[in-house]
Amino acid sequence: MIRWKVVCCLALLICAWLLSGCSSPRFEEDPVKANLRSIGKAYWTIVGFHNRPPRDLEELRSTLADLHAVEMGEAPDKVLISPRDKQPFVIILGAQPSATESTTILAYEQQGADNTRYVLTTSGTILEMSNDEFAKASFAANHKPASGT
């Protein structure tokens, strides 16, 4: 009986040792997409909890900090800045998210890079748009991008 237990323990230790060296490569999401996904997650969390969109950037920042605390995203100061153009994302506060509006923009890079920018739609979809597509896009809450963006 004791011999059986020793064999089982030894087998478990060998399996654990073998598996520890055989980890698969970790999926790394594009940092811009990851930040927009975190913004969307925080936005939808506020809508789900309060039944309204975020009132201001500080409420969104606080929710991002809470998500970061439970390892569901990076720190707010990192998330709210686009790694491509090094500028804060434009987030249309007060807009209602929608599961069906897959092309209405909720957040976007101010300038992007290489004549494209990433956007977050009200449905949570992340798209890469050319500057021409962005100029023709529809925005939540009748938002108008600043001229020159």
Side-chain angles (χ1 to χ4, degrees):
M1 181 74 140
I2 292 179
R3 190 173 184 174
W4 173 249
K5 288 181 181 179
V6 170
V7 169
C8 285
C9 286
L10 201 56
L12 285 173
L13 285 173
I14 290 171
C15 286
W17 176 71
L18 288 173
L19 290 175
S20 68
C22 298
S23 62
S24 59
R26 193 171 167 202
F27 171 73
E28 292 281 333
E29 185 175 29
D30 176 276
V32 178
K33 290 181 180 180
N35 288 358
L36 284 169
R37 193 167 318 286
S38 292
I39 290 167
K41 193 181 308 178
Y43 204 101
W44 278 80
T45 298
I46 293 167
V47 169
F49 189 74
H50 297 291
N51 201 28
R52 62 163 173 75
R55 289 189 176 131
D56 54 31
L57 189 58
E58 281 312 307
E59 184 176 25
L60 190 66
R61 182 184 299 277
S62 174
T63 303
L64 284 166
D66 292 344
L67 291 172
H68 175 66
V70 293
E71 297 181 8
M72 292 183 68
E74 296 289 340
D77 290 338
K78 184 173 182 182
V79 169
L80 293 170
I81 304 292
S82 168
R84 290 195 329 157
D85 65 16
K86 309 291 189 241
Q87 295 186 41
F89 286 102
V90 175
I91 303 165
I92 304 169
L93 298 167
Q96 278 293 349
S98 167
T100 58
E101 291 293 321
S102 62
T103 59
T104 302
I105 296 174
L106 179 66
Y108 58 90
E109 290 181 288
Q110 286 190 43
Q111 292 180 340
D114 301 322
N115 293 317
T116 66
R117 68 182 84 203
Y118 282 100
V119 303
L120 171 69
T121 68
T122 55
S123 68
T125 304
I126 297 170
L127 303 170
E128 185 176 17
M129 292 184 157
S130 70
N131 287 340
D132 290 337
E133 291 170 321
F134 183 79
K136 297 173 188 169
S138 61
F139 295 83
N142 296 317
H143 173 83
K144 301 284 185 227
S147 60
T149 60

